[in-house]
Amino acid sequence: MTSIATKEYVLGIDLGSNSLGWALIGLIDGEPAQLLRAGVRIFEAGMDGDLESGQEESRNKARRDARLHRRQLWRRARRLTKVAHLLQRFRLLPAGNLHPPDARQDFFNRLDTEILTSSWFAAKEQSGAFPEPRQTLPYILRASALNEPLEPYFLGRALYHLAQRRGFLSNRIRPARKNDDEGVVKQGISELRTRMQAA
């Protein structure tokens, strides 16, 4: 190839999934005239699996998944601590240390023991209305709160249990596809609300 003196050039870059191609083209009067240099760098893809069929997976996926799991655990523990502090502020839970998760678990174990040894729970246990009452204490508290006034700490324990078992709220933009059961569920909720207000 003969060398032509050019003052202007264009650098072209082609970025692929595991390669980087480049070419330096000389220009004369703004038109491509000469290939000055070209090359390619091949590097290892950051994916594992079959790239051709689209079945590849990032090598960092396991690390990302582990980080996501840690964040979810941290957020859940933080949310439960905030709920417990809020219930303490409104005197629905006794004073106590809630910050490390182990201390919070000990706190609620002591509160459950206090409720299990109360006369209120003894009456519920003797009524026979609740199967296995010692294993289902938070659910008994939640059910009883619908029909009768509870001691403040008992109500706080029921509310904390609701926070532990909260539902999933999707953040998708599109509304969910309507199905036939949706109207039945909404009607049931409306009827339950009416019955609760009447009681």
Side-chain angles (χ1 to χ4, degrees):
M1 180 184 281
T2 58
S3 175
I4 302 171
T6 59
K7 293 184 179 178
E8 295 182 352
Y9 59 87
V10 172
L11 175 64
I13 297 176
D14 176 30
L15 182 61
S17 61
N18 65 337
S19 64
L20 176 69
W22 60 275
L24 192 62
I25 299 172
L27 303 176
I28 295 179
D29 297 329
E31 295 293 322
Q34 181 183 16
L35 178 62
L36 300 175
R37 296 207 191 272
V40 65
R41 289 281 184 181
I42 297 174
F43 48 88
E44 196 175 336
M47 309 287 267
D48 285 331
D50 187 9
L51 295 174
E52 298 299 324
S53 66
Q55 300 297 320
E56 74 274 2
E57 187 175 90
S58 170
R59 290 198 187 114
N60 292 332
K61 185 178 184 312
R63 187 170 54 89
R64 263 197 331 263
D65 289 345
R67 183 174 64 230
L68 175 64
H69 186 62
R70 285 193 308 271
R71 284 180 180 169
Q72 287 173 336
L73 290 175
W74 177 79
R75 286 175 184 149
R76 182 174 190 273
R78 183 169 161 255
R79 176 175 52 82
L80 290 175
T81 302
K82 286 173 73 174
V83 167
H85 282 301
L86 188 66
L87 291 170
Q88 279 182 330
R89 190 176 341 140
F90 287 103
R91 292 189 169 80
L92 292 174
L93 286 179
N97 185 18
L98 298 168
H99 186 54
D102 293 340
R104 187 173 62 243
Q105 186 61 46
D106 291 342
F107 173 86
F108 282 103
N109 287 343
R110 287 193 304 274
L111 180 59
D112 287 350
T113 303
E114 182 182 323
I115 296 171
L116 289 171
T117 56
S118 68
S119 58
W120 176 87
F121 183 77
K124 292 291 179 190
E125 197 170 24
Q126 289 173 357
S127 72
F130 301 102
E132 299 184 6
R134 292 190 172 271
Q135 282 75 31
T136 57
L137 173 64
Y139 295 99
I140 294 171
L141 289 168
R142 286 167 55 172
S144 299
L146 293 172
N147 301 318
E148 64 184 89
L150 293 179
E151 294 290 324
Y153 296 167
F154 293 14
L155 179 61
R157 180 65 181 98
L159 292 174
Y160 182 79
H161 188 259
L162 281 171
Q164 284 181 301
R165 304 291 186 274
R166 74 182 184 116
F168 169 73
L169 178 63
S170 174
N171 57 359
R172 67 180 169 192
I173 297 170
R174 240 178 342 123
R177 186 169 54 86
K178 291 195 173 186
N179 58 16
D180 298 336
D181 295 337
E182 188 174 324
V184 176
V185 171
K186 285 185 177 179
Q187 182 181 357
I189 291 171
S190 176
E191 289 173 4
L192 177 63
R193 187 174 288 137
T194 306
R195 287 200 324 245
M196 287 172 57
Q197 288 174 350

